[in-house]
Amino acid sequence: MEKQLVSQIGDRDEDLLVEMYRQMKQIREFEIAAGELVRAGEIPGPIHPYIGQEAIAVGTCTALDDEDIIGSTHRGHGHVLAKGADLDGMMAELTAREAGLNRGRGGSMHMVDFSLGIFGCNAIVGASVPHVAGGMLSGRIDGDDRVGVSFFGEGAINQGVVHETMNMAAIWDLPVIFVCENNKYAVSTDVEYAAAGDSLASRGEAYGIESRTITGQNVLTVHETISEAVDDARAGEGPQFVECETYRYKGHFSGEEAILSDRSYRSDEEIRDWKENRDPIETFGEALVESGRVDAETLREIDDEIDEEVSSAVDLATESDLPSGDRAPENAYADQEYPAFPAPKYR
């Protein structure tokens, strides 16, 4: 994959290349630090690590305009960071602090920032898919040219609400990009056991949606494919479907290893193969240096900067105030003041 990346890098904008590396590295380090906070008992409940899938979030969100929207999943930290959410606020949200992105009320699986077009992570499998389509219907009524990306996993491909949404998006020509992150396992169930048909992309084709399958480990391939899909959707050619083949290095959630012990549903060889041969950050960093577009010292400086950013975010997340108890009834109704309240354009 490294040789292919070197060829793809070509004369691309250097600032974009560096930003892609920086964002993927930031997501990776954020997730590692979050895992440590879980083990330290600083985060109430589990998290669902995104480690290994960073190229999809970054390749996709760098193809979007600021006004475009995304809908995310229970494994959503990478999507939210790539769309521009505040790192400090996200880490504080994980520890349920007042300084959190949503004042500590949402936690890992419910991060939202409407001001950035982030319609939210969602703990219910497939539930954010119709939210994005609704946003795009709103855009159609308002006459704007925004597009929306709905991230979901291969486990959601069999959910009725995903199919209902693809059908409605197709018949209304809504500018929705359905991005299916196929990391092979829905919790512990192999996609080859659970999903009928020749490919997941065929599910989109069944509704007349332009559909394709790509590697999700190559950030440039993801960026190129999503950019084309966005251009088509923005030009009025209706919804698009992109299946990204990827792999999560960690368990389904942060407590999985303690539950499964030695009864793993995947082999050590399989995990090692993805880590050593298809890691999206390592291969991209090596290709950047090999191409001569970015030197190794620059990448080390970025790594150091991110280490400091994440360390600072962890300090904020563990040292800032918890919400006061008398705020418990707040936000029970929609007319309450709320951080990052929806802008009128996202009504």
Side-chain angles (χ1 to χ4, degrees):
M1 187 166 68
E2 184 184 336
K3 290 183 178 178
Q4 181 184 351
L5 274 163
V6 171
S7 175
Q8 288 175 280
I9 286 170
D11 60 353
R12 287 176 181 274
D13 180 76
E14 185 174 320
D15 290 342
L16 176 61
L17 295 171
V18 170
E19 181 61 13
M20 286 176 165
Y21 177 85
R22 190 192 67 78
Q23 287 191 16
M24 287 196 292
K25 192 72 177 179
Q26 184 188 61
I27 293 169
R28 177 72 59 91
E29 295 304 320
F30 178 92
E31 294 283 66
I32 292 172
E36 292 171 353
L37 287 175
V38 170
R39 288 188 288 275
E42 294 285 355
I43 294 177
I47 63 169
H48 298 76
Y50 192 65
I51 295 175
Q53 304 181 209
E54 297 90 347
I56 302 171
V58 173
T60 296
C61 289
T62 51
L64 300 177
D65 290 344
D66 291 343
E67 301 293 309
D68 295 330
I69 72 169
I70 65 168
S72 184
T73 72
H74 55 281
R75 201 178 309 284
H77 303 161
H79 307 142
V80 178
L81 276 171
K83 194 63 171 66
D86 180 65
L87 185 145
D88 288 344
M90 285 184 61
M91 196 68 83
E93 186 64 31
L94 290 180
T95 57
R97 304 294 169 144
E98 179 70 26
L101 193 65
N102 303 116
R103 295 183 183 172
R105 301 302 181 90
S108 172
M109 292 190 284
H110 304 95
M111 292 193 184
V112 174
D113 192 334
F114 292 109
S115 69
L116 296 172
I118 300 167
F119 271 32
C121 306
N122 203 305
I124 300 173
V125 174
S128 68
V129 177
H131 296 171
V132 174
M136 293 301 91
L137 178 59
S138 169
R140 172 66 56 82
I141 293 170
D142 290 344
D144 62 41
D145 67 347
R146 286 177 294 137
V147 303
V149 169
S150 178
F151 292 102
F152 58 96
E154 85 293 329
I157 197 66
N158 297 319
Q159 290 282 10
V161 70
V162 174
H163 286 266
E164 292 169 14
T165 304
M166 286 197 289
N167 180 63
M168 295 181 73
I171 62 175
W172 288 342
D173 286 332
L174 298 180
V176 179
I177 319 295
F178 296 95
V179 176
C180 178
E181 296 186 73
N182 179 4
N183 66 20
K184 285 183 62 64
Y185 298 98
V187 187
S188 58
T189 304
D190 195 314
V191 64
E192 294 183 5
Y193 171 83
D198 295 332
S199 72
L200 300 188
S202 67
R203 307 295 181 93
E205 292 169 358
Y207 296 100
I209 296 174
E210 180 70 26
S211 304
R212 67 223 83 176
T213 298
I214 63 172
T215 173
Q217 303 307 91
N218 181 327
V219 68
L220 294 181
T221 295
V222 175
H223 180 79
E224 291 168 358
T225 305
I226 298 297
S227 294
E228 292 172 2
V230 166
D231 289 344
D232 289 345
R234 213 184 296 281
E237 297 186 17
Q240 313 285 313
F241 185 105
V242 181
E243 176 196 3
C244 299
E245 295 178 330
T246 186
Y247 199 75
R248 55 171 162 78
Y249 294 175
K250 300 291 185 179
H252 169 65
F253 77 113
S254 52
E256 181 180 286
E257 291 181 5
I259 293 175
L260 290 180
S261 185
D262 61 350
R263 296 169 295 153
S264 179
Y265 50 88
R266 52 186 187 171
S267 68
D268 292 340
E269 290 75 16
E270 179 180 292
I271 298 171
R272 186 164 53 247
D273 176 54
W274 281 86
K275 285 183 175 179
E276 294 181 354
N277 299 312
R278 285 171 274 189
D279 183 82
I281 303 174
E282 291 295 324
T283 54
F284 188 56
E286 291 167 1
L288 287 174
V289 175
E290 177 67 21
S291 70
R293 299 296 308 282
V294 182
D295 59 56
E297 179 59 28
T298 299
L299 298 186
R300 279 194 292 271
E301 290 175 359
I302 293 171
D303 292 350
D304 291 342
E305 290 171 2
I306 290 171
D307 285 345
E308 292 180 10
E309 289 176 6
V310 172
S311 177
S312 175
V314 168
D315 290 343
L316 174 69
T318 53
E319 297 172 2
S320 58
D321 296 334
L322 291 164
S324 63
D326 60 5
R327 285 190 45 232
E330 290 183 6
N331 304 319
Y333 299 97
D335 60 350
Q336 301 254 338
E337 183 180 353
Y338 189 76
F341 197 76
K345 61 188 175 185
Y346 297 134
R347 65 185 168 76

